[in-house]
Amino acid sequence: MECRVLQTVHERNPFDFDFPIMFIERTLAVLDQLRIQNFKGWQDTGVIRMAPITLFFGANSSGKSSIGHFLLMLKQTIESSDRKAVFHPGTVNSPFRLGSYRDMVFGNKPDRMVAFEYRWSLPNRLKIVDPLSEQEFCGDTLAFAAQAGLNPKRHSLIVDRLQYRFVDQGEDSLAIRMMRDSSSKSTYEVETELYPLTRYHGRTKSVGAPVRFYGFPDEIFAYYENADFVHFLNLWHEKLFHKISYLGPLRTRAERLYSWGGFEPDSVGYAGENTVAAMLSARDRRINLGFNMVKRPFEEIIARKLMQMGLIDEFKITQISEHRQEFEVRVRTRGSNKWADIPDVGFGISQVLPVLVQCFYAPSGSIIFMEQPEIHLHPSAQSALADVMIDVINSRMGGKDRGIQLIIETHSEHFLRRLQRRIAEDRVPTEKVAAYFANVSGSTSKLEALQLDEFGNIKNWPKDFFGDEMGDILNQAKAAMKKRMQRETNAESGA
């Protein structure tokens, strides 16, 4: 299989970073695997297979939300202006705040290290060329692992180690790592596998500390003649996390009027506050949905999905006056011949609207983490929402797959049941769905992968997965029988 050249450099200034990154801009990223250790309630999640639709179920306080929150913490760290912050705990404007390291580390024991690893696939097989030997290193996947914690001498966060692996068809193509000297906070050694690094004459072996939790420092380019490719690794890591968006479990209430000055938001916002602005800025988009290859306008897609979920008959956004940049969202609910403002209809519509808009508004290659997208929806609408998610991962725009990945924390049995049905109907293959059940065992959270077969069956239903349904049915029957017997006894005794 042919590789696409990522970087070819022969002679340049070691501090000149102006080399081609065009293929970084064009490729999409999908998380394949994730593992987290010593974070919040998780001593070890184990290896989590990530699919286009990845679901996390579990009881309250079981740790299921913490998995997505960990990814968001890494995202806000990468997007922070502080290059020295290993983990950014969040600010008042962040979706959540983690507090101190003691608050986030498992068991609140600061002597423990938080460790994590993940792997993400590249749709294009890329190639790195060693400028000295001209040897080629191809890869279709990148893997990253790191460990960080408190420096006991200075009580500050430090990266203990980090490692990247460039993987091609399941085999390591090259690997590079930084490891901290245990006797020092800022002294690190660099090691590689399969790729021989060559130091400039007279340079010492040590380089500076990593940037944040993932980045090789600029000093590495001054110490090694052929370390140019690590800048690509830094950039690609940043591109991955820039693609992650988050929608929380409590969305903003609907308004009667929305002001829009023509700006195009990055997303609908953590609480859906930019939903209407996103819809208005996307009016010219055309998207193909799943098995139906007809291109449809963005607003029509949203209206159709609301209709298919049984929530409305019609939907529109109108400008109240050509002289005012204010808009109103109006709907005609099922069975009604009158239009109503969205605040005057069921609360569930305003809560699910940001979910639908974000799913179809997000740029190609996005990873969307949502908490309880089904909140405030009737069971039949929760089932229909699963069909929407299938359409999302199969959608196309501009003749290409959008490549959307959905990470969903949910409590909805109806959502899962509909996915099981669609798997049996061959509407979605099992490899495109991964489902997990989180529970607490002793002092740690445990994660169990649900084994879905090609018929949509779950082979290993956890105990009390959606409560004790059979127990409720049995005890209801017993109580009903007891009540009937008591009434018959009373009738016979004349009471």
Side-chain angles (χ1 to χ4, degrees):
M1 185 184 297
E2 182 181 354
C3 285
R4 302 178 69 180
V5 176
L6 176 72
Q7 173 190 356
T8 304
V9 180
H10 293 284
E11 291 184 7
R12 64 171 185 81
N13 185 308
F15 290 101
D16 178 11
F17 303 142
D18 188 20
F19 54 81
I21 58 171
M22 64 181 67
F23 298 125
I24 294 177
E25 297 293 334
R26 293 179 181 176
T27 54
L28 307 178
V30 176
L31 276 172
D32 294 331
Q33 287 184 358
L34 171 66
R35 183 180 185 182
I36 306 168
Q37 295 172 282
N38 290 330
F39 179 74
K40 291 291 189 178
W42 296 101
Q43 186 172 23
D44 190 350
T45 63
V47 176
I48 304 171
R49 181 183 75 87
M50 307 293 286
I53 298 177
T54 303
L55 306 173
F56 292 100
F57 297 91
N60 293 333
S61 301
S62 61
K64 60 187 183 300
S65 298
S66 297
I67 295 171
H69 291 172
F70 181 78
L71 293 175
L72 292 176
M73 179 189 70
L74 300 187
K75 175 183 173 66
Q76 66 192 25
T77 301
I78 285 176
E79 296 178 350
S80 163
S81 60
D82 187 354
R83 288 166 54 90
K84 293 184 179 181
V86 175
F87 297 138
H88 195 284
T91 65
V92 291
N93 296 320
S94 303
F96 62 97
R97 285 177 280 179
L98 290 170
S100 67
Y101 183 75
R102 181 186 291 271
D103 295 325
M104 76 172 71
V105 71
F106 174 71
N108 304 118
K109 295 184 177 180
D111 57 326
R112 289 173 170 163
M113 290 272 185
V114 173
F116 52 99
E117 56 188 89
Y118 37 86
R119 189 181 72 185
W120 66 102
S121 60
L122 308 173
N124 296 312
R125 190 163 173 257
L126 303 180
K127 176 168 59 179
I128 292 172
V129 179
D130 181 355
L132 301 181
S133 67
E134 297 190 351
Q135 184 179 356
E136 298 177 353
F137 301 84
C138 293
D140 54 24
T141 302
L142 279 171
F144 176 78
Q147 179 173 290
L150 281 180
N151 181 348
K153 296 180 179 179
R154 301 193 182 185
H155 303 287
S156 58
L157 278 177
I158 53 170
V159 177
D160 189 60
R161 61 174 175 83
L162 65 85
Q163 174 180 275
Y164 285 89
R165 290 186 296 115
F166 201 40
V167 183
D168 191 42
Q169 300 179 25
E171 299 290 334
D172 282 4
S173 177
L174 67 84
I176 181 169
R177 66 182 65 90
M178 288 186 71
M179 298 174 296
R180 184 177 65 91
D181 183 338
S182 60
S183 64
S184 170
K185 174 188 175 182
S186 57
T187 301
Y188 287 80
E189 296 181 354
V190 178
E191 292 182 356
T192 56
E193 295 176 15
L194 306 174
Y195 185 99
L197 277 180
T198 302
R199 274 203 321 273
Y200 283 105
H201 181 70
R203 297 291 185 182
T204 60
K205 190 175 182 180
S206 176
V207 297
V211 176
R212 303 184 180 95
F213 66 88
Y214 66 93
F216 290 94
D218 294 344
E219 291 91 335
I220 197 170
F221 304 109
Y223 281 87
Y224 297 99
E225 296 184 51
N226 56 343
D228 307 344
F229 71 94
V230 302
H231 192 54
F232 150 74
L233 300 176
N234 291 353
L235 287 171
W236 184 245
H237 209 149
E238 292 166 2
K239 292 290 290 185
L240 171 71
F241 279 89
H242 289 330
K243 291 288 189 179
I244 296 178
S245 65
Y246 170 66
L247 183 59
L250 297 176
R251 273 75 82 179
T252 56
R253 290 180 174 272
E255 302 288 344
R256 295 195 181 277
L257 289 178
Y258 292 88
S259 297
W260 183 59
F263 78 99
E264 184 174 345
D266 293 333
S267 71
V268 300
Y270 302 138
E273 64 273 16
N274 298 326
T275 297
V276 174
M279 290 191 68
L280 291 169
S281 64
R283 274 183 159 173
D284 293 334
R285 294 189 193 178
R286 298 292 186 273
I287 298 176
N288 304 118
L289 291 185
F291 297 98
N292 182 355
M293 299 313 293
V294 177
K295 290 182 179 180
R296 298 193 184 279
F298 188 89
E299 191 172 319
E300 181 184 332
I301 287 172
I302 303 302
R304 280 175 170 267
K305 293 308 166 189
L306 289 170
M307 292 170 60
Q308 290 168 8
M309 295 174 70
L311 299 174
I312 64 163
D313 279 344
E314 288 189 82
F315 173 93
K316 63 182 179 181
I317 301 179
T318 56
Q319 188 172 0
I320 63 171
S321 168
E322 62 178 321
H323 303 295
R324 295 172 60 183
Q325 290 296 99
E326 291 182 312
F327 298 79
E328 58 183 2
V329 180
R330 310 205 76 200
V331 298
R332 192 168 61 80
T333 56
R334 299 194 69 183
S336 174
N337 57 5
K338 295 182 179 179
W339 287 91
D341 291 337
I342 195 169
D344 298 326
V345 297
F347 191 57
I349 296 176
S350 66
Q351 293 300 287
V352 78
L353 185 61
V355 173
L356 303 182
V357 174
Q358 181 60 18
C359 283
F360 293 105
Y361 180 78
S364 296
S366 291
I367 301 168
I368 304 173
F369 170 47
M370 293 180 287
E371 294 188 70
Q372 300 180 52
E374 78 285 352
I375 197 167
H376 295 295
L377 290 181
H378 185 273
S380 63
Q382 294 180 30
S383 298
L385 186 59
D387 287 328
V388 174
M389 299 309 177
I390 294 172
D391 280 343
V392 170
I393 66 168
N394 290 324
S395 60
R396 297 171 62 85
M397 191 167 66
K400 297 180 180 180
D401 288 335
R402 291 178 65 229
I404 301 296
Q405 184 173 27
L406 302 172
I407 302 173
I408 301 172
E409 184 260 296
T410 178
H411 295 284
S412 177
E413 177 181 4
H414 310 285
F415 187 99
L416 177 61
R417 292 293 192 186
R418 180 59 60 86
L419 277 180
Q420 291 178 261
R421 172 184 166 184
R422 296 311 188 205
I423 289 172
E425 294 171 346
D426 291 329
R427 288 286 303 275
V428 60
T430 53
E431 60 268 20
K432 286 195 174 184
V433 178
Y436 297 89
F437 179 70
N439 206 352
V440 178
S441 177
S443 61
T444 182
S445 296
K446 297 292 185 182
L447 197 65
E448 182 176 2
L450 302 184
Q451 299 171 18
L452 277 162
D453 66 18
E454 61 182 312
F455 305 106
N457 298 315
I458 294 177
K459 300 179 181 180
N460 60 329
W461 276 96
K463 186 178 185 299
D464 297 338
F465 183 28
F466 285 121
D468 187 11
E469 181 179 4
M470 291 306 298
D472 286 339
I473 293 172
L474 178 61
N475 286 307
Q476 178 204 354
K478 287 180 178 179
M481 183 178 295
K482 182 179 179 181
K483 183 179 289 185
R484 283 195 296 268
M485 292 177 65
Q486 184 65 46
R487 286 181 177 178
E488 290 174 0
T489 301
N490 292 340
E492 291 174 356
S493 63

